[in-house]
Amino acid sequence: MLHTVPREDLDALVQHEPRALSDALEQGRIVYFPSCPIALPEEAELSFLREEIGPNLRRKNVSWYFDRDRVKGLETAPVVAERAHRLLREHAARVRELLTRAMPEFSRGWTPGTTSVRPFQEKGRALSAHASNELVHVDAGAYGATHGDRVLRFFVNINPREDRVWVSRGAFPELFAAHGREAGIAGEPADPIVGTPMIGTQSSSPQRGRNDPVREGPFDRAFTSVVNAGARLAPALKMIDSSPYDRLMRRFHNWMKDTPSFRDSQVGLQTFRFPPLSAWMVLTDQVSHACIEGQHALIDTFIVPLANCRLRELSPYEILRAQRAPDART
Ligand SMILES: [Fe+2]
């Protein structure tokens, strides 16, 4: 499940196999860099991020928003806030430079989201089940709704001594096959596909009939149009967007966290330890994950167009689309 990329191999890989990293992501692998492939802030700045953010936090995380160039979640003196703002914005720029260079086709037209600091120890953090990072889940509804677009996250462990520890129960295709019906996101197989093969761009995607559970009806489209129009004035409005796809993913996310028989099972459980100053990236809508231990991480999030996927048949959107609709109205 781990696709390891030594730092010294990265340039040659990018030059000769520009789809290698994104193919690994689409296949549900965690692309792991034992040595962080971008420059990190100097040690004094890392110490600042570790020590000055946590005590001044007023949300789950502190996040810098690309579209607004604003930091949210921090309540502190202006000099501290400005330093955090600069550090997160500069880190975000380095991550974007790396990923657009390493995956030029996959990142085309993406939407950069947030750069977050996770200053707290994840083990034993008393968050509600749906907000908890300690329970295995796939991500759903990032920034409101993705409509099938992909959630890419790039992580750096900036703890100077301790590993960040993840567990996974596998990727969406096998999780859906094993648990989709019980979770209420799978119905009967859909009618045969009409159209061309699904690998490639949106324009080559197949057409399905009225039973397609992720198909957006007139109300869905009108609602999203209104939200998008409003979000031009008030970007936070995006958070109320929704779609049939996002509701199914949210249902699965909640089922994974709420269902004792899944939550407490060790079936397929894999553990990953990410040492200090290592980095990794993953499609978090594809790969189930929980952070069970670790403190101090930087996390960058991007929404990648589904059309950029060339292994599109492995995406949650296409897997859900291949079913007749379950009751998707919740
Ligand atoms: Fe997550």
Side-chain angles (χ1 to χ4, degrees):
M1 198 168 190
L2 219 54
H3 181 88
T4 302
V5 182
R7 189 165 182 165
E8 60 272 21
D9 294 353
L10 182 60
D11 285 344
L13 187 71
V14 167
Q15 191 176 353
H16 300 299
E17 297 178 69
R19 276 288 188 171
L21 296 181
S22 57
D23 282 357
L25 292 171
E26 288 188 60
Q27 287 160 357
R29 305 182 75 180
I30 299 170
V31 174
Y32 169 54
F33 303 96
S35 172
C36 183
I38 57 170
L40 292 173
E42 292 178 2
E43 184 50 41
E45 305 287 44
L46 289 176
S47 294
F48 165 81
L49 290 173
R50 293 176 196 125
E51 291 160 19
E52 299 295 329
I53 299 292
N56 297 300
L57 204 66
R58 62 176 167 82
R59 292 157 57 118
K60 182 180 168 189
N61 309 303
V62 166
S63 299
W64 173 78
Y65 286 73
F66 174 82
D67 59 349
R68 285 162 258 181
D69 188 17
R70 269 190 64 192
V71 171
K72 293 180 80 171
L74 201 56
E75 206 162 57
T76 183
V79 65
V80 174
E82 285 164 17
R83 189 173 176 188
H85 186 162
R86 175 178 57 79
L87 289 171
L88 294 181
R89 188 178 55 204
E90 290 174 356
H91 178 74
R94 288 191 291 267
V95 173
R96 286 199 310 278
E97 189 282 325
L98 168 74
L99 299 186
T100 51
R101 179 166 56 84
M103 304 188 292
E105 293 175 41
F106 194 64
S107 61
R108 186 170 301 135
W110 70 4
T111 303
T114 52
T115 299
S116 298
V117 190
R118 300 278 170 96
F120 293 125
Q121 172 57 252
E122 299 287 352
K123 186 178 183 179
R125 199 172 169 190
L127 294 171
S128 68
H130 291 182
S132 174
N133 296 325
E134 289 185 88
L135 300 174
V136 173
H137 63 282
V138 289
D139 286 349
Y143 311 124
T146 73
H147 302 266
D149 288 342
R150 314 305 307 277
V151 184
L152 171 65
R153 291 198 149 123
F154 183 92
F155 301 79
V156 184
N157 180 5
I158 59 168
N159 191 301
R161 289 173 300 277
E162 295 172 10
D163 294 351
R164 195 167 184 86
V165 184
W166 271 28
V167 292
S168 174
R169 297 275 302 276
F172 189 88
E174 54 261 30
L175 288 169
F176 178 82
H179 306 288
R181 273 179 186 269
E182 189 188 347
I185 63 167
E188 300 297 322
D191 297 332
I193 298 171
V194 179
T196 51
M198 62 178 70
I199 294 177
T201 62
Q202 293 270 23
S203 60
S204 68
S205 65
Q207 303 299 310
R208 290 192 186 275
R210 282 183 294 175
N211 287 322
D212 171 357
V214 293
R215 177 175 170 271
E216 297 188 16
F219 176 80
D220 293 299
R221 292 196 296 272
F223 182 74
T224 294
S225 296
V226 170
V227 168
N228 286 340
R232 283 195 276 276
L233 297 172
L237 263 183
K238 281 292 286 180
M239 293 302 293
I240 67 168
D241 193 16
S242 182
S243 76
Y245 167 79
D246 288 284
R247 290 192 287 277
L248 287 170
M249 291 298 282
R250 173 58 62 184
R251 181 186 281 193
F252 198 37
H253 167 276
N254 292 351
W255 180 87
M256 294 171 91
K257 288 184 169 180
D258 290 340
T259 307
S261 61
F262 179 83
R263 212 173 52 197
D264 303 335
S265 169
Q266 304 282 305
V267 173
L269 195 75
Q270 298 182 67
T271 302
F272 304 95
R273 301 191 73 90
F274 301 106
L277 307 187
S278 65
W280 61 104
M281 63 176 174
V282 62
L283 289 172
T284 52
D285 55 354
Q286 181 86 346
V287 175
S288 66
H289 56 282
C291 181
I292 59 168
E293 195 180 318
Q295 184 177 15
H296 305 305
L298 290 169
I299 305 175
D300 286 78
T301 302
F302 304 88
I303 304 300
V304 177
L306 177 62
N308 293 5
C309 292
R310 74 169 182 173
L311 306 176
R312 186 172 163 150
E313 73 277 14
L314 300 178
S315 69
Y317 184 88
E318 293 297 351
I319 289 169
L320 289 168
R321 189 153 88 142
Q323 306 294 308
R324 286 188 191 279
D327 181 5
R329 286 168 293 189
T330 56

